[in-house]
PDB file of all heavy atoms in Angstrom:
ATOM      1  N   LYS A 210     -21.854 -89.708   1.597  1.00 97.00           N
ATOM      2  CA  LYS A 210     -22.024 -90.133   2.989  1.00 97.00           C
ATOM      3  C   LYS A 210     -23.387 -90.740   3.171  1.00 97.00           C
ATOM      4  O   LYS A 210     -23.585 -91.805   3.852  1.00 97.00           O
ATOM      5  CB  LYS A 210     -21.897 -88.850   3.900  1.00 97.00           C
ATOM      6  CG  LYS A 210     -21.987 -89.176   5.374  1.00 97.00           C
ATOM      7  CD  LYS A 210     -21.857 -87.906   6.205  1.00 97.00           C
ATOM      8  CE  LYS A 210     -20.528 -87.215   5.983  1.00 97.00           C
ATOM      9  NZ  LYS A 210     -20.397 -85.997   6.908  1.00 97.00           N
ATOM     10  N   ARG A 211     -24.427 -90.225   2.537  1.00 98.00           N
ATOM     11  CA  ARG A 211     -25.766 -90.781   2.622  1.00 98.00           C
ATOM     12  C   ARG A 211     -25.873 -92.123   2.032  1.00 98.00           C
ATOM     13  O   ARG A 211     -26.419 -93.110   2.600  1.00 98.00           O
ATOM     14  CB  ARG A 211     -26.768 -89.805   2.021  1.00 98.00           C
ATOM     15  CG  ARG A 211     -28.239 -90.336   2.097  1.00 98.00           C
ATOM     16  CD  ARG A 211     -29.198 -89.424   1.292  1.00 98.00           C
ATOM     17  NE  ARG A 211     -28.955 -89.573  -0.154  1.00 98.00           N
ATOM     18  CZ  ARG A 211     -29.264 -90.594  -0.932  1.00 98.00           C
ATOM     19  NH1 ARG A 211     -29.898 -91.606  -0.433  1.00 98.00           N
ATOM     20  NH2 ARG A 211     -28.961 -90.548  -2.220  1.00 98.00           N
ATOM     21  N   ILE A 212     -25.353 -92.271   0.789  1.00 98.00           N
ATOM     22  CA  ILE A 212     -25.409 -93.531   0.075  1.00 98.00           C
ATOM     23  C   ILE A 212     -24.640 -94.634   0.822  1.00 98.00           C
ATOM     24  O   ILE A 212     -25.091 -95.850   0.824  1.00 98.00           O
ATOM     25  CB  ILE A 212     -24.830 -93.321  -1.315  1.00 98.00           C
ATOM     26  CG1 ILE A 212     -25.761 -92.459  -2.170  1.00 98.00           C
ATOM     27  CG2 ILE A 212     -24.593 -94.707  -2.029  1.00 98.00           C
ATOM     28  CD1 ILE A 212     -25.111 -91.945  -3.474  1.00 98.00           C
ATOM     29  N   SER A 213     -23.558 -94.268   1.437  1.00 97.00           N
ATOM     30  CA  SER A 213     -22.671 -95.273   2.071  1.00 97.00           C
ATOM     31  C   SER A 213     -23.008 -95.507   3.539  1.00 97.00           C
ATOM     32  O   SER A 213     -22.304 -96.263   4.261  1.00 97.00           O
ATOM     33  CB  SER A 213     -21.209 -94.870   1.992  1.00 97.00           C
ATOM     34  OG  SER A 213     -21.005 -93.647   2.697  1.00 97.00           O
ATOM     35  N   GLY A 214     -24.126 -94.923   4.004  1.00 97.00           N
ATOM     36  CA  GLY A 214     -24.579 -95.067   5.392  1.00 97.00           C
ATOM     37  C   GLY A 214     -23.568 -94.480   6.368  1.00 97.00           C
ATOM     38  O   GLY A 214     -23.329 -94.976   7.434  1.00 97.00           O
ATOM     39  N   GLY A 215     -22.876 -93.401   5.940  1.00 97.00           N
ATOM     40  CA  GLY A 215     -21.904 -92.738   6.681  1.00 97.00           C
ATOM     41  C   GLY A 215     -20.489 -93.318   6.690  1.00 97.00           C
ATOM     42  O   GLY A 215     -19.623 -92.781   7.316  1.00 97.00           O
ATOM     43  N   GLN A 216     -20.348 -94.468   6.008  1.00 97.00           N
ATOM     44  CA  GLN A 216     -19.076 -95.156   6.090  1.00 97.00           C
ATOM     45  C   GLN A 216     -18.009 -94.641   5.041  1.00 97.00           C
ATOM     46  O   GLN A 216     -16.843 -94.729   5.275  1.00 97.00           O
ATOM     47  CB  GLN A 216     -19.290 -96.644   5.769  1.00 97.00           C
ATOM     48  CG  GLN A 216     -20.116 -97.347   6.762  1.00 97.00           C
ATOM     49  CD  GLN A 216     -19.618 -97.312   8.140  1.00 97.00           C
ATOM     50  OE1 GLN A 216     -18.432 -97.657   8.414  1.00 97.00           O
ATOM     51  NE2 GLN A 216     -20.378 -96.751   9.115  1.00 97.00           N
ATOM     52  N   GLY A 217     -18.464 -94.042   3.933  1.00 98.00           N
ATOM     53  CA  GLY A 217     -17.562 -93.557   2.951  1.00 98.00           C
ATOM     54  C   GLY A 217     -17.254 -94.683   1.937  1.00 98.00           C
ATOM     55  O   GLY A 217     -17.658 -95.802   2.059  1.00 98.00           O
ATOM     56  N   VAL A 218     -16.434 -94.318   0.966  1.00 98.00           N
ATOM     57  CA  VAL A 218     -16.026 -95.261  -0.103  1.00 98.00           C
ATOM     58  C   VAL A 218     -14.610 -95.690   0.076  1.00 98.00           C
ATOM     59  O   VAL A 218     -13.807 -94.988   0.663  1.00 98.00           O
ATOM     60  CB  VAL A 218     -16.262 -94.584  -1.516  1.00 98.00           C
ATOM     61  CG1 VAL A 218     -17.664 -94.244  -1.739  1.00 98.00           C
ATOM     62  CG2 VAL A 218     -15.301 -93.334  -1.677  1.00 98.00           C
ATOM     63  N   GLN A 219     -14.296 -96.854  -0.525  1.00 98.00           N
ATOM     64  CA  GLN A 219     -12.879 -97.324  -0.382  1.00 98.00           C
ATOM     65  C   GLN A 219     -11.953 -96.634  -1.335  1.00 98.00           C
ATOM     66  O   GLN A 219     -10.741 -96.645  -1.073  1.00 98.00           O
ATOM     67  CB  GLN A 219     -12.861 -98.870  -0.701  1.00 98.00           C
ATOM     68  CG  GLN A 219     -13.335 -99.737   0.478  1.00 98.00           C
ATOM     69  CD  GLN A 219     -14.852 -99.512   0.776  1.00 98.00           C
ATOM     70  OE1 GLN A 219     -15.674 -99.579  -0.182  1.00 98.00           O
ATOM     71  NE2 GLN A 219     -15.178 -99.300   2.011  1.00 98.00           N
ATOM     72  N   ALA A 220     -12.437 -96.102  -2.428  1.00 98.00           N
ATOM     73  CA  ALA A 220     -11.516 -95.487  -3.429  1.00 98.00           C
ATOM     74  C   ALA A 220     -12.198 -94.332  -4.093  1.00 98.00           C
ATOM     75  O   ALA A 220     -13.439 -94.317  -4.375  1.00 98.00           O
ATOM     76  CB  ALA A 220     -11.075 -96.557  -4.452  1.00 98.00           C
ATOM     77  N   VAL A 221     -11.384 -93.317  -4.531  1.00 98.00           N
ATOM     78  CA  VAL A 221     -11.863 -92.253  -5.368  1.00 98.00           C
ATOM     79  C   VAL A 221     -10.908 -92.166  -6.553  1.00 98.00           C
ATOM     80  O   VAL A 221      -9.723 -92.131  -6.382  1.00 98.00           O
ATOM     81  CB  VAL A 221     -11.873 -90.892  -4.574  1.00 98.00           C
ATOM     82  CG1 VAL A 221     -12.209 -89.756  -5.529  1.00 98.00           C
ATOM     83  CG2 VAL A 221     -12.796 -90.913  -3.427  1.00 98.00           C
ATOM     84  N   LEU A 222     -11.567 -92.069  -7.756  1.00 98.00           N
ATOM     85  CA  LEU A 222     -10.757 -91.826  -8.963  1.00 98.00           C
ATOM     86  C   LEU A 222     -11.090 -90.416  -9.461  1.00 98.00           C
ATOM     87  O   LEU A 222     -12.225 -90.118  -9.829  1.00 98.00           O
ATOM     88  CB  LEU A 222     -11.081 -92.897 -10.073  1.00 98.00           C
ATOM     89  CG  LEU A 222     -10.298 -92.724 -11.379  1.00 98.00           C
ATOM     90  CD1 LEU A 222      -8.879 -93.055 -11.154  1.00 98.00           C
ATOM     91  CD2 LEU A 222     -10.888 -93.712 -12.409  1.00 98.00           C
ATOM     92  N   ASP A 223     -10.121 -89.495  -9.374  1.00 98.00           N
ATOM     93  CA  ASP A 223     -10.345 -88.126  -9.662  1.00 98.00           C
ATOM     94  C   ASP A 223      -9.507 -87.515 -10.750  1.00 98.00           C
ATOM     95  O   ASP A 223      -8.282 -87.733 -10.777  1.00 98.00           O
ATOM     96  CB  ASP A 223     -10.078 -87.367  -8.359  1.00 98.00           C
ATOM     97  CG  ASP A 223     -10.315 -85.876  -8.524  1.00 98.00           C
ATOM     98  OD1 ASP A 223     -11.334 -85.486  -9.011  1.00 98.00           O
ATOM     99  OD2 ASP A 223      -9.379 -85.042  -8.148  1.00 98.00           O
ATOM    100  N   MET A 224     -10.186 -86.842 -11.628  1.00 96.00           N
ATOM    101  CA  MET A 224      -9.496 -86.113 -12.685  1.00 96.00           C
ATOM    102  C   MET A 224      -9.730 -84.586 -12.579  1.00 96.00           C
ATOM    103  O   MET A 224      -9.354 -83.857 -13.522  1.00 96.00           O
ATOM    104  CB  MET A 224      -9.863 -86.620 -14.108  1.00 96.00           C
ATOM    105  CG  MET A 224     -11.347 -86.350 -14.525  1.00 96.00           C
ATOM    106  SD  MET A 224     -12.481 -87.432 -13.689  1.00 96.00           S
ATOM    107  CE  MET A 224     -12.134 -89.029 -14.514  1.00 96.00           C
ATOM    108  N   VAL A 225     -10.248 -84.184 -11.541  1.00 96.00           N
ATOM    109  CA  VAL A 225     -10.593 -82.732 -11.334  1.00 96.00           C
ATOM    110  C   VAL A 225      -9.510 -81.980 -10.559  1.00 96.00           C
ATOM    111  O   VAL A 225      -9.038 -80.956 -10.996  1.00 96.00           O
ATOM    112  CB  VAL A 225     -11.959 -82.580 -10.656  1.00 96.00           C
ATOM    113  CG1 VAL A 225     -12.366 -81.104 -10.568  1.00 96.00           C
ATOM    114  CG2 VAL A 225     -13.081 -83.317 -11.489  1.00 96.00           C
ATOM    115  N   GLY A 226      -9.176 -82.497  -9.428  1.00 96.00           N
ATOM    116  CA  GLY A 226      -8.151 -81.873  -8.591  1.00 96.00           C
ATOM    117  C   GLY A 226      -8.677 -80.592  -7.954  1.00 96.00           C
ATOM    118  O   GLY A 226      -9.915 -80.494  -7.701  1.00 96.00           O
ATOM    119  N   GLY A 227      -7.880 -79.600  -7.696  1.00 96.00           N
ATOM    120  CA  GLY A 227      -8.259 -78.341  -7.145  1.00 96.00           C
ATOM    121  C   GLY A 227      -9.084 -78.574  -5.811  1.00 96.00           C
ATOM    122  O   GLY A 227      -8.732 -79.390  -5.018  1.00 96.00           O
ATOM    123  N   ASP A 228     -10.194 -77.816  -5.750  1.00 95.00           N
ATOM    124  CA  ASP A 228     -10.948 -77.917  -4.514  1.00 95.00           C
ATOM    125  C   ASP A 228     -11.772 -79.211  -4.321  1.00 95.00           C
ATOM    126  O   ASP A 228     -12.441 -79.392  -3.330  1.00 95.00           O
ATOM    127  CB  ASP A 228     -11.839 -76.684  -4.307  1.00 95.00           C
ATOM    128  CG  ASP A 228     -12.967 -76.616  -5.455  1.00 95.00           C
ATOM    129  OD1 ASP A 228     -13.055 -77.511  -6.263  1.00 95.00           O
ATOM    130  OD2 ASP A 228     -13.678 -75.595  -5.440  1.00 95.00           O
ATOM    131  N   TYR A 229     -11.677 -80.094  -5.337  1.00 97.00           N
ATOM    132  CA  TYR A 229     -12.327 -81.329  -5.179  1.00 97.00           C
ATOM    133  C   TYR A 229     -11.584 -82.248  -4.190  1.00 97.00           C
ATOM    134  O   TYR A 229     -12.141 -83.168  -3.556  1.00 97.00           O
ATOM    135  CB  TYR A 229     -12.387 -82.102  -6.529  1.00 97.00           C
ATOM    136  CG  TYR A 229     -13.711 -81.961  -7.254  1.00 97.00           C
ATOM    137  CD1 TYR A 229     -14.325 -80.707  -7.413  1.00 97.00           C
ATOM    138  CD2 TYR A 229     -14.357 -83.048  -7.867  1.00 97.00           C
ATOM    139  CE1 TYR A 229     -15.517 -80.508  -8.147  1.00 97.00           C
ATOM    140  CE2 TYR A 229     -15.518 -82.874  -8.540  1.00 97.00           C
ATOM    141  CZ  TYR A 229     -16.116 -81.651  -8.661  1.00 97.00           C
ATOM    142  OH  TYR A 229     -17.253 -81.488  -9.389  1.00 97.00           O
ATOM    143  N   LEU A 230     -10.236 -82.006  -4.091  1.00 97.00           N
ATOM    144  CA  LEU A 230      -9.422 -82.982  -3.287  1.00 97.00           C
ATOM    145  C   LEU A 230      -9.862 -83.030  -1.840  1.00 97.00           C
ATOM    146  O   LEU A 230     -10.086 -84.158  -1.272  1.00 97.00           O
ATOM    147  CB  LEU A 230      -7.954 -82.574  -3.395  1.00 97.00           C
ATOM    148  CG  LEU A 230      -7.008 -83.600  -2.809  1.00 97.00           C
ATOM    149  CD1 LEU A 230      -7.173 -85.011  -3.327  1.00 97.00           C
ATOM    150  CD2 LEU A 230      -5.477 -83.135  -3.039  1.00 97.00           C
TER     151      LEU A 230
END
Side-chain angles (χ1 to χ4, degrees):
K210 185 181 297 184
R211 180 188 66 78
I212 292 166
S213 65
Q216 297 302 304
V218 299
Q219 282 68 49
V221 175
L222 183 65
D223 178 50
M224 66 283 291
V225 182
D228 64 2
Y229 265 47
L230 188 54

